[in-house]
Amino acid sequence: MTMKPWLPPLLVLAAAAALAPLPIVAGSYWMALLVNILMYATLATAWALFSGPTHYVSLATAAFFGLGAYTMAFLGETLPLPLVYGVAALIGAVVATVVGLSTLRLSGVYFVIFTFGLAELVRQLVTWGEAKYGGTVGRFVFIDVTQQGIYWMLLGLLVVILLTGLAIQRSRLGWALRAIGEDETVARHAGIDTTVSKVAVFVVSATFMTLVGAIMAPRWTYIDPSIAFNPIISFQVLIMALLGGAARLYGPILGVVPLAILFEILQANFPNYFSILLGIAFLVIVYFVPNGIVGLIDQGRGAIVRAARRRPHPAE
Amino acid sequence: MFLVDVILSGLILGGIYALIAMGLSLQYGVARIMNLAYGEFTIAASFLAYVLFSAAGVSPILALAVAMPLSFALNWGIYRVLMTPLVRRAKSPGALEVDSILATFGLLFVVQGILLVVFGGSYVSYSYLAVPVQIIGSTVALNRLLAAGLAVAIALALTAFLMRTRIGTAIRAVSVNPAAAPLVGIDTTAYAAFAFGLGGALVAASGVLVSMFFTFNAAMGVVFTMKALIVVIMGGVGNIFGALVAGLILGLAESLTAAFLDGGLTLAVNFALFLAILLVKPTGLFGKAAR
């Protein structure tokens, strides 16, 4: 199926326009759920920008999210808000460049392991710095941003991420990433500077994650390193993107909506068993939905096409 | 004699790290499964030793004899039931690595969740052989010394097993070349499962040893997984000797950092070492060809 190049961006904008008025009608419980879903939708889509085409599994989502949240906690009361978001994005980009340059030359497993520990590492550094120079480990966040404001900012950010993703897919960089995902050695022999391509998209993806953290921070009145750098965020983003399927740009969102609601219900009703249920959800998805919902849709579409082809020959 | 204290405790810690990492090295080096639930099994064994000691007065040495076979059977079963379908499904070694990481992630949460439900989130420890001993002018608790000694004994036994026996030779063959091993009549799946179980027995041993002198809780597994991974990769994947050296380096670095820099920076120093070594030698200290 070929699509007109202007159609996907238009669809993204139309969907966002349809979702934008929701805060006007939604009550506070629904607003909280919507913001939660949007937060994971932005994180999972940003995650898939990099990990989808390259197949490099990043577990650093919480590290960047936490950096953003902490930037807001540090500067939110002293600088104007737009500037704080700018600073957060810059910090995310710089950290991602350093991490990317030092780990993306390594093979895939080493990258997984390093990003696995990155949130823990940043958390330890922040805790250490706060205890040594800040006096306390936690921080109060008194910033005047409403639930609605957060919703609209996240929705706007999601649009930007999707449009960026579309632009990358159509660029030379998009081709380079897919070549890396297929076979990195071949990509290198074809003249692709694999390190530059990987680091560039990793930085873009991480910058978006940092921004999400900065936007979300005012939702809590108090943050400490174990809230901001909670590794569960990385795992949930990963599993949501997997369920949706990272092969398409819109895939992760398909996984976010059901899982965000499921986790919300589990956390409210079985807080003590949450970890076990999360693990079981992980296993079920890995074993039974390996290509995500997107894979299932493609499979279903293939079956329909085959069935349609068969129909003209009832004698078969 | 402050420096001697620091070096001695670093070496003891390093010996334990090396033992923790050897199990992972076997699992990843032979069965090619990157087991992220690894640290959860360490902690599970620590809790087993804790329960046996505080409820029944069974010494941790005897707990070893219970935990190791139990964990062997459990891990062998995990490979047979959970990992074999992934091995069959994988189109390439890279795909198996990603799938195994994701599956063991699920396992991590399940095991951690069970531990949390059973034991809660609080820290526990018990007092076994907490007697001070004098060594070259420095004082060490006897339980630490015993743990380090047992770690070395188990590591030596494992090395002898891998180097001197027929089964050990077959395991090494699967590790070096899984594609060629069947050509000489080795059942790779059976040996991979065996190595995975053996790795499980080692992780249980390290969990029991750590519990003798360490305060732990149900959420701590990830820390052990991280350390084991760093040691395995620093030493060169599948290299038991490399794991020993890397474990000692890490233990020393950690106790030197805590003593002279800041206790809050140990993880940062670990990571810096990990990155520095990989940037200079991408295959680890004793890794051979690029994979």
Side-chain angles (χ1 to χ4, degrees):
Chain A
M1 278 204 305
T2 50
M3 259 194 258
K4 299 264 186 300
W6 46 264
L7 192 61
L10 212 64
L11 284 176
V12 169
L13 289 173
L19 291 173
L22 274 182
I24 299 167
V25 289
S28 64
Y29 171 78
W30 291 105
M31 265 322 287
L33 186 63
L34 282 173
V35 165
N36 202 14
I37 290 176
L38 263 185
M39 173 187 118
Y40 281 112
T42 43
L43 288 175
T45 311
W47 180 88
L49 276 189
F50 171 74
S51 296
T54 58
H55 303 307
Y56 272 70
V57 176
S58 162
L59 290 169
T61 311
F64 295 110
F65 180 85
L67 276 176
Y70 252 86
T71 312
M72 181 54 79
F74 262 113
L75 302 174
E77 287 169 68
T78 47
L79 290 180
L81 277 185
L83 204 58
V84 181
Y85 295 126
V87 174
L90 191 70
I91 291 176
V94 169
V95 173
T97 310
V98 174
V99 170
L101 281 178
S102 45
T103 55
L104 279 171
R105 282 175 234 258
L106 309 171
S107 97
V109 205
Y110 297 169
F111 178 76
V112 182
I113 288 151
F114 190 82
T115 54
F116 182 37
L118 187 65
E120 198 61 32
L121 171 67
V122 181
R123 188 173 75 125
Q124 212 191 34
L125 286 177
V126 170
T127 312
W128 172 78
E130 289 275 79
K132 191 144 192 170
Y133 303 105
T136 61
V137 171
R139 235 162 225 286
F140 286 97
V141 193
F142 294 123
I143 294 144
D144 202 19
V145 181
T146 58
Q147 191 92 279
Q148 277 94 342
I150 294 178
Y151 175 88
W152 281 314
M153 275 191 277
L154 286 177
L155 190 62
L157 187 64
L158 182 58
V159 170
V160 174
I161 297 175
L162 286 170
L163 294 181
T164 309
L166 285 171
I168 291 178
Q169 271 184 0
R170 287 185 194 145
S171 66
R172 287 176 62 89
L173 189 57
W175 287 105
L177 289 181
R178 283 192 288 276
I180 292 169
E182 288 291 322
D183 190 326
E184 196 154 345
T185 322
V186 172
R188 216 173 297 128
H189 285 299
I192 295 169
D193 190 335
T194 53
T195 306
V196 169
S197 312
K198 282 185 289 184
V199 173
V201 182
F202 183 66
V203 169
V204 172
S205 149
T207 308
F208 285 133
M209 291 171 179
T210 319
L211 270 174
V212 178
I215 294 175
M216 287 297 290
R219 248 192 114 184
W220 302 292
T221 42
Y222 172 85
I223 64 168
D224 67 29
S226 62
I227 297 174
F229 297 99
N230 190 351
I232 294 283
I233 297 173
S234 303
F235 305 141
Q236 291 197 357
V237 165
L238 171 63
I239 185 180
M240 286 167 176
L242 277 184
L243 175 64
R248 297 275 195 293
L249 204 50
Y250 62 83
I253 301 176
L254 297 181
V256 166
V257 178
L259 281 184
I261 295 171
L262 176 72
F263 290 153
E264 184 87 14
I265 295 170
L266 292 181
Q267 199 120 50
N269 296 302
F270 311 97
N272 294 329
Y273 297 90
F274 182 70
S275 186
I276 301 178
L277 296 168
L278 180 71
I280 291 172
F282 231 109
L283 287 170
V284 167
I285 290 170
V286 171
Y287 284 95
F288 299 106
V289 205
N291 299 316
I293 295 174
V294 165
L296 292 182
I297 292 175
D298 285 354
Q299 240 173 36
R301 198 188 274 154
I304 291 169
V305 168
R306 275 194 301 280
R309 267 196 210 124
R310 222 174 286 139
R311 208 162 295 144
H313 311 284
E316 263 183 1
Chain B
M1 287 321 256
F2 182 57
L3 190 65
V4 178
D5 280 355
V6 172
I7 290 178
L8 204 61
S9 78
L11 287 177
I12 290 175
L13 196 63
I16 305 281
Y17 284 165
L19 185 67
I20 296 178
M22 276 175 199
L24 187 69
S25 191
L26 263 182
Q27 291 194 333
Y28 183 57
V30 182
R32 312 275 151 161
I33 302 292
M34 184 51 94
N35 183 3
L36 290 190
Y38 195 77
E40 267 54 42
F41 287 94
T42 319
I43 295 291
S46 296
F47 271 110
L48 180 70
Y50 165 75
V51 168
L52 285 178
F53 186 79
S54 49
V58 178
S59 97
I61 312 288
L62 273 175
L64 272 181
V66 180
M68 287 177 73
L70 199 67
S71 184
F72 176 89
L74 191 64
N75 277 274
W76 186 85
I78 288 173
Y79 186 85
R80 280 293 184 182
V81 177
L82 282 178
M83 298 304 150
T84 317
L86 296 182
V87 175
R88 265 195 220 117
R89 179 170 102 186
K91 290 192 204 79
S92 66
L96 175 62
E97 264 168 11
V98 172
D99 271 356
S100 66
I101 284 174
L102 298 175
T104 53
F105 239 131
L107 207 58
L108 182 166
F109 285 115
V110 173
V111 178
Q112 191 184 64
I114 293 172
L115 289 176
L116 276 171
V117 169
V118 177
F119 297 102
S122 53
Y123 285 85
V124 300
S125 66
Y126 58 93
S127 181
Y128 172 74
L129 289 184
V131 212
V133 185
Q134 294 283 326
I135 298 179
I136 34 175
S138 162
T139 317
V140 188
L142 183 58
N143 50 23
R144 276 178 181 261
L145 212 58
L146 181 67
L150 283 171
V152 171
I154 292 171
L156 287 177
L158 174 71
T159 314
F161 171 73
L162 287 178
M163 293 299 166
R164 297 286 160 84
T165 64
R166 259 185 92 80
I167 301 176
T169 311
I171 288 177
R172 282 187 291 132
V174 176
S175 158
V176 170
N177 194 337
L183 302 179
V184 289
I186 295 173
D187 181 348
T188 44
T189 321
Y191 278 101
F194 182 80
F196 200 79
L198 200 58
L202 288 178
V203 73
S206 58
V208 172
L209 294 184
V210 162
S211 75
M212 287 166 43
F213 61 90
F214 200 73
T215 308
F216 52 92
N217 77 350
M220 227 149 147
V222 175
V223 177
F224 284 104
T225 310
M226 275 318 303
K227 295 215 164 117
L229 288 169
I230 291 179
V231 170
V232 166
I233 291 171
M234 254 170 72
V237 170
N239 190 319
I240 301 285
F241 177 68
L244 183 65
V245 175
L248 290 177
I249 291 177
L250 211 64
L252 269 179
E254 210 162 285
S255 72
L256 286 173
T257 311
F260 295 106
L261 212 56
D262 194 312
L265 289 177
T266 48
L267 195 67
V269 170
N270 280 350
F271 266 87
L273 267 174
F274 171 73
L275 268 189
I277 287 178
L278 280 188
L279 288 176
V280 179
K281 266 203 96 192
T283 50
L285 286 175
F286 300 96
K288 280 176 214 99
R291 295 180 313 113

